[in-house]
Amino acid sequence: MDGSQPPMLPVNAQRRCPICGKPNWCLLAPDGKTAICPRTAEGAIKRAGDAGWFHIVDPDRVIPLLAPAFKPQNTVKVDFQRLSDIRRERAEPRLHDLARNLGVSVDALRRLKVGYNDFDKTYTFPERDGQGKIIGILLRYRSGPKKRIRGSKSGLSYADAWDNGSGPVLLVEGPSDTAALMTLGCNAIGRPSNRGGYAHLADLLSGFPNDRNIIVLGDSDCKLDGFWPGKEGAIQTASEVSKRLERTVYWALPPDGVKDARAWLNEHGGDNPTSMRDCFMEGLRLQEITPPPVIRSFVPFQEPISLGTYRQEMLKRRLLSLDRPGIYLDRSMTGSGKSAIDYRVVLNLFGRTEEVA
């Protein structure tokens, strides 16, 4: 072979030898036009030493080396915290328009750190993990559709001071319903969808007092075929959060047959929404989800002892077991001296004793 040719490459299961069809031992040129096969001499051009026979591959059987998969070089990570802050600075003139459109208070939108992008005319809703870090940004177009910025992870929508220190917390779908409940004066956290965000919710609520209820609020969006994503998602979320927190969690649907919390606010909130908070809460029909039983194995605590003392105890128990029918089980770890103790037991039987080291 000409030394200027590129080196032959080993065949594999995806690029088999075109001469014998096997996935091993043979060599194949990167362009697939020549091969060295140790199994087949017939049709070879010449012998290639101990490697086998050199073949020119039939053009119909050429297997070219696939080009490596393209990997984008752009590894720059989006600083969602900074991006959210920039969008908030430009949001103030637009928040009043969004508040009127959604039927929620401007203060609720401010507390959720809603921003605005003049370039594509979108409102931005930051999503957080259970520790408060912004991990993604949800875009809401003025025409209604929503999508996340590239690189975003779905998270929760909540204010810095989401807990006023009293009453239950309601887990609703999305930032709009979160803003609606905040307008009513409720403690609210927005889930990223009807199902999801379980780990973030468990993290955020890990210290929530046991004497205050956690309520998952689903949407009344039953379909004609009986599929009910809002209700089923609420039950699933309540079950997951209950299991992770090991406490009772409740689920409910909005009162008065409305679709969601924002629809109830727009229909019943009036000019003083906070005065309607109790009315909203009393209309909820809470369904209880209890956590599954947890079985734990506890190892009794024992003060550490020296190896010498342990061996003395081992020898004592071995001697006590002599002439007593039954099974003797010793689970001492390697190096604890089981063999040495056996030897000393034998010596003891013959009336000889040695100190146990």
Side-chain angles (χ1 to χ4, degrees):
M1 291 184 291
D2 190 332
S4 63
Q5 292 181 338
M8 293 280 197
L9 302 175
V11 297
N12 53 44
Q14 288 71 41
R15 197 168 182 256
R16 293 173 176 265
C17 175
I19 307 302
C20 67
K22 302 294 184 179
N24 50 21
W25 294 2
C26 307
L27 299 173
L28 187 60
D31 60 7
K33 295 181 179 180
T34 57
I36 295 177
C37 180
R39 299 182 178 90
T40 308
E42 183 180 355
I45 300 297
K46 58 181 178 179
R47 178 78 183 186
D50 294 336
W53 287 270
F54 184 78
H55 293 261
I56 301 297
V57 179
D58 185 327
D60 291 335
R61 303 176 68 184
V62 167
I63 307 175
L65 185 65
L66 297 177
F70 172 75
K71 295 182 179 180
Q73 299 299 313
N74 183 14
T75 58
V76 177
K77 295 184 178 179
V78 179
D79 186 343
F80 290 110
Q81 179 66 61
R82 176 170 172 74
L83 183 58
S84 175
D85 291 341
I86 293 173
R87 296 292 182 258
R88 286 176 63 200
E89 292 175 359
R90 303 172 183 175
E92 193 58 36
R94 305 286 186 175
L95 287 185
H96 293 271
D97 294 336
L98 180 61
R100 283 192 294 270
N101 182 36
L102 297 178
V104 302
S105 70
V106 175
D107 179 65
L109 298 179
R110 290 194 188 110
R111 292 171 59 199
L112 289 174
K113 300 183 178 181
V114 177
Y116 187 78
N117 185 5
D118 291 305
F119 177 74
D120 58 4
K121 314 299 182 187
T122 57
Y123 291 97
T124 59
F125 293 81
E127 294 185 306
R128 305 178 171 198
D129 62 15
Q131 297 294 320
K133 179 182 177 182
I134 296 178
I135 58 176
I137 293 181
L138 180 68
L139 300 179
R140 182 188 182 96
Y141 290 85
R142 301 182 72 174
S143 56
K146 305 171 187 175
K147 71 175 184 179
R148 289 182 174 88
I149 291 179
R150 185 184 299 274
S152 295
K153 295 179 181 179
S154 59
L156 310 176
S157 301
Y158 59 91
D160 289 336
W162 59 270
D163 181 11
N164 65 15
S166 63
V169 59
L170 292 100
L171 316 182
V172 293
E173 290 186 39
S176 298
D177 274 16
T178 307
L181 288 181
M182 291 169 64
T183 303
L184 284 170
C186 300
N187 300 315
I189 300 171
R191 295 138 49 205
S193 61
N194 65 324
R195 303 171 191 260
Y198 310 137
H200 296 320
L201 287 168
D203 190 14
L204 181 60
L205 296 170
S206 60
F208 196 70
N210 287 325
D211 60 350
R212 296 168 59 192
N213 289 342
I214 297 174
I215 304 171
V216 180
L217 192 64
D219 285 1
S220 293
D221 54 1
C222 185
K223 310 302 180 184
L224 293 177
D225 60 0
F227 178 53
W228 201 329
K231 176 181 177 180
E232 294 172 7
I235 295 173
Q236 179 66 32
T237 301
S239 300
E240 286 293 331
V241 174
S242 173
K243 179 172 65 175
R244 292 168 187 256
L245 295 181
E246 297 181 18
R247 59 175 289 178
T248 298
V249 174
Y250 299 86
W251 69 270
L253 298 176
D256 303 318
V258 299
K259 178 181 180 297
D260 52 31
R262 186 162 66 89
W264 193 95
L265 172 67
N266 291 336
E267 185 173 337
H268 303 286
D271 296 331
N272 186 11
T274 56
S275 66
M276 300 298 292
R277 175 184 178 277
D278 291 343
C279 183
F280 175 84
M281 295 300 302
E282 290 170 3
L284 297 178
R285 299 293 178 262
L286 302 184
Q287 307 295 319
E288 182 178 299
I289 299 288
T290 56
V294 177
I295 301 176
R296 292 185 175 88
S297 176
F298 294 97
V299 179
F301 176 78
Q302 183 176 356
E303 291 289 342
I305 60 175
S306 67
L307 182 58
T309 302
Y310 183 79
R311 289 178 176 177
Q312 291 285 0
E313 183 67 22
M314 192 188 309
L315 177 59
K316 176 182 175 181
R317 291 177 181 269
R318 291 284 178 91
L319 292 173
L320 289 174
S321 70
L322 297 178
D323 299 325
R324 294 185 180 182
I327 298 175
Y328 181 83
L329 176 63
D330 189 339
R331 296 187 295 177
S332 303
M333 63 183 296
T334 302
S336 59
K338 293 188 291 295
S339 298
I341 295 301
D342 288 340
Y343 173 69
R344 284 162 175 77
V345 169
V346 173
L347 291 178
N348 187 276
L349 291 176
F350 288 95
R352 297 173 56 189
T353 59
E354 292 186 12
E355 183 181 353
V356 179

